[in-house]
Amino acid sequence: MLTRRRLAALASAAMLPATAVRAEERWPTKLLRVLVGSAPGSSVDAPVRAVCQRLSERFGVSIVVENKVGAAGTIAASEALRAPADGYTLLIGTNGELVNGEFLWRNSGRTFPYDPAKDFVPVALVQRGAGMLVVRPGLGVNSLAELVAKAKANPGKLTIGSGGVGSTVHLVAELFNREAGIDTLIVHYRGSPPTLMAIRSGDIDMMFATPFEIIDFVKQKDMIPLAVSHTQRIPMYPDVPTFAELGLPNVINLPFVTFCVRSGTPDHVVRTLNQAVIEEIAGGPGKPPLTSPGRESPPLTPEQLAAFITHERERWADIILKAKIAT
């Protein structure tokens, strides 16, 4: 015969598995590490730190952002892969870590240290944004059609700046040349600042730049914007058409910044982080949105984000492998 005490004991035992499961699903409960393959204060690092500050307040845990600079992000990615797949070590993935690097290494005959498509799960988008093709005023062109005509009349003579071999601006320059059927000379610099200086001084004729870094130059008429490498116009420059509007629909470049975890990380961690990042970026009462000017942060699910990155891998692999670009 079951006594009242015995029934209470059995009920308590029956509740233990459910209680244990709920305890396991509480994430995060301790410090989070966020590995960034870019320098402190960079266009990747800055927005990530802003989001991490809000996430720390939301979750009530410390978040340490660690900059592991070098080898185009593979140092940060390799360290993330050495950590347990428990969601407590996050990687900030960009085009370098998740798209371009693998194919650039392949062209140089080297084996990439990980499989971007299998080893990481993209979780939550921080931001992505288009570039703008700008020309120096002295070039004598005021539209994309005039630029293409001038380039075709002077093959190999016009110059376009790049922030380095294999960079996103290098690849979109190659894409533009191919789609427009022109031959411009790509000149490589060490990053965006010296490239901007080169176009202002007249050392190069054009470049792809991020919208927010050229806004003052455009206002001062030191640069002329011709087209946006997005599927739609951007609010900062509502009068600048897209390449698609001008007859080059494939000239799209949307460099991205996203939180990633190791494959095998529990699904509830992925869902929790995705929702948190989306909500904190969007802001709310007393918290302004975190998206940088000229950028966008659509609220993508992990599946939508993965599909976007897969599409980017296909597009840029075609450019990198056919142009035989190597680093």
Side-chain angles (χ1 to χ4, degrees), residues 3-313:
T3 65
R4 187 175 296 176
R5 180 178 297 178
R6 179 62 174 161
L7 285 170
L10 289 172
S12 297
M15 292 175 61
L16 283 176
T19 304
V21 169
R22 286 196 296 270
E24 289 176 2
E25 291 185 354
R26 286 199 298 270
W27 177 94
T29 59
K30 61 182 182 180
L31 179 144
L32 293 173
R33 297 175 66 212
V34 178
L35 305 181
V36 182
S38 303
S42 66
S43 60
V44 172
D45 176 83
V48 166
R49 287 181 183 271
V51 176
C52 285
Q53 182 176 347
R54 288 192 182 176
L55 291 177
S56 178
E57 295 168 357
R58 179 189 183 105
F59 292 135
V61 301
S62 297
I63 299 180
V64 178
V65 178
E66 301 179 20
N67 299 90
K68 304 291 182 178
V69 183
T74 58
I75 293 176
S78 297
E79 182 162 339
L81 280 178
R82 290 193 292 269
D86 56 9
Y88 285 95
T89 300
L90 310 176
L91 172 70
I92 298 302
T94 70
N95 296 66
E97 292 87 0
L98 301 181
V99 178
N100 305 334
E102 177 185 3
F103 308 112
L104 293 167
W105 281 45
R106 184 185 302 178
N107 280 344
S108 68
R110 294 182 293 166
T111 301
F112 205 58
Y114 57 91
D115 187 332
K118 294 181 179 179
D119 291 337
F120 290 105
V121 174
V123 176
L125 183 70
V126 177
Q127 62 182 29
R128 67 185 183 189
M132 293 185 63
L133 178 64
V134 295
V135 297
R136 60 181 178 86
L139 188 59
V141 301
N142 291 286
S143 69
L144 186 67
E146 292 177 357
L147 174 64
V148 171
K150 191 177 186 74
K152 287 183 175 180
N154 299 275
K157 298 293 181 63
L158 300 190
T159 53
I160 183 167
S162 156
V165 176
S167 64
T168 56
V169 287
H170 174 200
L171 300 184
V172 73
E174 295 278 4
L175 176 62
F176 173 50
N177 276 347
R178 186 175 80 176
E179 293 298 313
I182 59 176
D183 176 22
T184 64
L185 177 63
I186 300 176
V187 182
H188 299 292
Y189 294 87
R190 289 183 175 272
S192 181
T195 315
L196 289 168
M197 290 180 60
I199 191 171
R200 292 188 70 199
S201 65
D203 291 338
I204 56 174
D205 298 315
M206 67 192 106
M207 68 176 290
F208 280 88
T210 54
F212 60 84
E213 69 182 350
I214 59 169
I215 188 165
D216 290 335
F217 301 139
V218 172
K219 287 180 179 178
Q220 296 163 9
K221 301 190 184 302
D222 289 334
M223 298 178 190
I224 300 173
L226 299 185
V228 179
S229 60
H230 199 341
T231 56
Q232 58 194 11
R233 297 192 185 195
I234 59 176
M236 286 184 73
Y237 300 87
D239 297 328
V240 180
T242 66
F243 278 94
E245 291 177 80
L246 301 173
L248 298 176
N250 294 325
V251 182
I252 298 174
N253 183 37
L254 297 173
F256 62 86
V257 179
T258 185
F259 283 94
C260 299
V261 294
R262 273 193 55 186
S263 294
T265 298
D267 185 66
H268 73 271
V269 172
V270 172
R271 303 294 164 186
T272 299
L273 182 58
N274 175 266
Q275 180 180 359
V277 171
I278 288 173
E279 292 178 356
E280 295 304 330
I281 288 176
K287 294 195 297 186
L290 292 179
T291 306
S292 304
R295 295 301 195 216
E296 62 182 13
S297 303
L300 303 180
T301 65
E303 291 79 12
Q304 291 170 329
L305 180 56
F308 164 70
I309 293 175
T310 296
H311 181 62
E312 291 296 280
R313 283 176 55 81

